[in-house]
């Protein structure tokens, strides 16, 4: 059974940093691309970032490029999102999601975690 | 960037009725790169359909997708109480360099009377 468990969310001041983690199990982690998607309070889903299975390619939404960094540790089946220079508009529930294939053009997400909440406020 | 519009914003129906959810794209969605997800409170989204009409393994056959080009539809035949929640369409046709390679619609909330 595929399981994705996010952690690392919390309250942070504007300009601060946070590192999210997503522990994956139930599939061969390094064979699949992984995503971060967020949902601001009362809003819809917004794609944030993607990393290919081999870590060869990373992509970012314009809204986070230059501030967020996606990475993965395939030896530990874990996905990360380093978030720097956080802004109030980054406040959201952050989901990690497994893509249905391995390269950096894989955008269909066949399994999702339950999310971790990030609140950016002074 | 391809912008998706979903209608109606909210759908309130009784169990057993048919739900018809619309998703319209601002540009042509090439290769039928359109998916539908279901989000229930306290859970992560669940993939229902990809490539416009390909139902994911384990998804009941009361869910079906159709459409092409810029107009797409998710139909739920015979609503069940567990179908409540918000349904999102997603296009993943790009652009892959510059702009967002994928976008989601604003969602349609399905309420069960």
């Amino acid at each position: 059974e595929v399981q994705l468990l996010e952690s690392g969310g919390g309250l942070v001041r504007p300009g601060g940093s946070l590192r999210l983690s997503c522990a994956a199990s139930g599939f061969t982690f390094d064979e699949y691309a992984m995503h971060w998607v967020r949902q601001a309070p009362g809003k819809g889903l917004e794609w944030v970032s993607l990393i290919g299975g081999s870590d060869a390619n990373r992509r970012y939404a314009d809204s986070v490029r230059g501030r967020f960094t996606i990475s993965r540790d395939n030896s530990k089946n874990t996905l990360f999102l380093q978030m720097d220079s956080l802004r109030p508009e980054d406040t959201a529930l952050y989901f990690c999601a497994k893509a249905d294939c391995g390269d950096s053009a894989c955008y269909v997400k066949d399994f999702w975690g339950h999310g971790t909440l990030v609140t950016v406020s002074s | 960037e391809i912008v998706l519009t979903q209608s109606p914003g909210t759908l309130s129906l009784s169990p057993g009725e048919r739900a018809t959810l619309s998703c319209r794209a601002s540009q042509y969605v090439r290769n039928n790169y359109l998916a539908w997800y279901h989000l229930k409170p306290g859970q992560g989204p669940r993939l229902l359909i990809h490539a416009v009409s390909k139902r994911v393994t384990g998804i009941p056959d009361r869910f079906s997708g159709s459409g092409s080009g810029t107009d797409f539809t998710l139909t739920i035949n015979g609503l069940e109480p567990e179908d409540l929640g918000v349904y999102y369409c997603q296009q993943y046709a790009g652009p892959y360099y510059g702009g967002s390679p994928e976008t989601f619609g604003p969602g349609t909330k399905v309420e069960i009377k």
Side-chain angles (χ1 to χ4, degrees), chain A:
Chain A
E1 178 190 5
V2 172
Q3 292 193 343
L4 299 170
L5 183 61
E6 303 94 337
S7 61
L11 175 63
V12 62
R13 295 190 186 282
S17 296
L18 214 52
R19 190 192 198 203
L20 305 184
S21 300
C22 173
S25 61
F27 63 102
T28 306
F29 185 66
D30 62 3
E31 291 184 356
Y32 293 92
M34 297 292 294
H35 294 260
W36 288 100
V37 177
R38 67 186 181 183
Q39 183 182 29
K43 303 293 185 181
L45 300 173
E46 179 190 16
W47 174 77
V48 173
S49 185
L50 152 75
I51 186 168
S54 63
D55 196 22
N57 285 291
R58 310 173 190 197
R59 307 209 189 286
Y60 300 93
D62 290 344
S63 57
V64 306
R65 187 176 294 113
R67 301 187 298 121
F68 289 12
T69 303
I70 192 171
S71 62
R72 63 193 297 161
D73 184 338
N74 287 342
S75 69
K76 296 182 179 178
N77 291 352
T78 304
L79 175 72
F80 301 101
L81 185 67
Q82 177 66 41
M83 304 187 295
D84 299 319
S85 303
L86 281 161
R87 305 166 179 169
E89 55 265 36
D90 295 318
T91 295
L93 184 63
Y94 284 73
F95 297 101
C96 76
K98 169 188 170 293
D100 68 345
C101 54
D103 63 40
S104 58
C106 295
Y107 288 93
V108 175
K109 303 162 191 52
D110 55 1
F111 291 95
W112 299 62
H114 285 199
T116 185
L117 183 62
V118 172
T119 303
V120 185
S121 175
S122 55

Side-chain angles (χ1 to χ4, degrees), chain A residues 47 59-62 65 107, chain B residues 1-2 91 93-102:
Chain A
W47 174 77
R59 307 209 189 286
Y60 300 93
D62 290 344
R65 187 176 294 113
Y107 288 93
Chain B
E1 174 178 303
I2 298 177
Q91 70 79 21
Y96 297 131
Y97 296 94
S100 291
E102 63 163 275

